[in-house]
Amino acid sequence: MDRLTGKTAVVTGGGSGIGLASAQRFIDEGAFVYIFGRRQAALDAALETLGDNARAVQGSVSDLADLDRLYATVKAERGGLDILLANAGTGSFAALGEITPEQYDQTFDVNVKGLLFTVQKGLALMKAGGSIILTGSTTGEMGTPQFSVYSATKAAVRNFARSWAQDLRGTGIRVNVLSPGPTRTDLALHVVGEEAFEAMGATTPLGRLGEPAETAAAAAFLASDDSSYMTGGEIFVDGGMAQV
Ligand SMILES: NC(=O)c1ccc[n+]([C@@H]2O[C@H](COP(=O)([O-])OP(=O)(O)OC[C@H]3O[C@@H](n4cnc5c(N)ncnc54)[C@H](OP(=O)(O)O)[C@@H]3O)[C@@H](O)[C@H]2O)c1
């Protein structure tokens, strides 16, 4: 498929997991992709597999100067932006009673404030026909023990898409949420633990964990004109977890 030929994409958190798989899929469909993340080593390793149609910019979504540098690079090299996958995210467990101000600040700083300014600063480069994709989560729709802070950030992300679809009226730019269920990535395996995570996958109607490439396929759909009449919406790639 060549649905993204000639398009320029930015993928935050593109050095690993769902972001990396999405960057690969965008390139496979013809796009040029900028990946953004804090760990230079992860970015370097990702570029090895992504090849010549990818560039990396090192930085944090929590640092507004880093975001300015990312978009200045995109503007200088490509002139504009067609696809923005705001995917960088973090999370950790703490039950009510054990939540610390530091955990709250760190999680909201990346997942909410970082995502907001990733989109707001990227918007200046986006043209009519552009697609903004926000990585949400099934947890934004569900109650999950010990995971309220992370889940609340993802509920915030869901409303950003609804409200920003209104703000973007008349621009031709669309914004949607892509919400994975339990998906085999470093973040999830580290946060949940391998055995418990496999068990979580087994509770879904499809009876298994998802793979990053399966989420990436939906990201490519949202990035492409195949989803041209979708905005303010949400797609779940969750094995049915939040649907039943
Ligand atoms: N895997 C799942 O089961 C699952 C389910 C639902 C939703 N999600 C969401 O999917 C997204 C991707 O996560 P993943 O599962 O693919 O895990 P992952 O491989 O750990 O990806 C997270 C990415 O975010 C980047 N990141 C974290 N903090 C950042 C910051 N401050 N600035 C820039 N980049 C930052 C990380 O790179 P650096 O560490 O190098 O910065 C990493 O590449 C997240 O938003 C997550 O909440 C995942």
Side-chain angles (χ1 to χ4, degrees):
M1 276 196 279
D2 57 357
R3 295 182 294 183
L4 307 180
T5 299
K7 308 258 190 202
T8 301
V10 162
V11 180
T12 65
S16 63
I18 290 165
L20 175 57
S22 299
Q24 183 68 68
R25 180 69 187 245
F26 291 171
I27 290 168
D28 291 348
E29 296 211 25
F32 187 94
V33 178
Y34 289 83
I35 56 172
F36 181 76
R38 294 164 305 173
R39 291 166 299 150
Q40 188 65 52
L43 296 174
D44 290 343
L47 286 183
E48 287 285 316
T49 58
L50 293 174
D52 290 344
N53 286 324
R55 292 250 199 295
V57 176
Q58 188 275 335
S60 171
V61 295
S62 304
D63 186 326
L64 301 189
D66 285 355
L67 289 172
D68 286 337
R69 192 164 40 78
L70 164 67
Y71 292 123
T73 305
V74 175
K75 187 175 182 191
E77 294 181 1
R78 304 286 297 182
L81 182 62
D82 304 287
I83 300 158
L84 172 53
L85 174 54
N87 166 77
T90 188
S92 54
F93 283 114
L96 185 63
E98 294 164 3
I99 298 165
T100 64
E102 291 74 22
Q103 187 214 12
Y104 172 88
D105 284 344
Q106 204 226 344
T107 314
F108 271 78
D109 198 41
V110 176
N111 295 7
V112 180
K113 184 182 170 197
L115 179 140
L116 189 170
F117 288 102
T118 297
V119 173
Q120 183 161 286
K121 287 177 176 291
L123 198 55
L125 291 183
M126 291 199 92
K127 316 159 198 165
S131 175
I132 299 168
I133 305 160
L134 314 177
T135 304
S137 172
T138 49
T139 60
E141 300 286 318
M142 302 170 71
T144 306
Q146 302 179 53
F147 219 29
S148 62
V149 173
Y150 173 86
S151 303
T153 68
K154 295 301 187 177
V157 167
R158 179 67 187 96
N159 193 274
F160 276 160
R162 292 189 202 278
S163 299
W164 292 345
Q166 298 277 29
D167 289 342
L168 290 169
R169 273 173 192 264
T171 65
I173 299 169
R174 304 179 293 109
V175 55
N176 292 287
V177 178
L178 175 58
S179 287
T183 307
R184 199 187 305 277
T185 67
D186 291 347
L187 174 72
L189 288 166
H190 175 74
V191 171
V192 184
E194 193 156 356
E195 207 174 311
F197 201 48
E198 291 288 348
M200 190 186 292
T203 67
T204 69
L206 290 182
R208 63 171 175 85
L209 293 175
E211 299 298 331
E214 295 179 291
T215 312
F221 166 72
L222 287 175
S224 79
D225 289 344
D226 281 354
S227 58
S228 56
Y229 199 51
M230 280 189 70
T231 194
E234 181 171 21
I235 291 182
F236 289 90
V237 182
D238 67 346
M241 185 176 194
Q243 317 310 315
V244 295

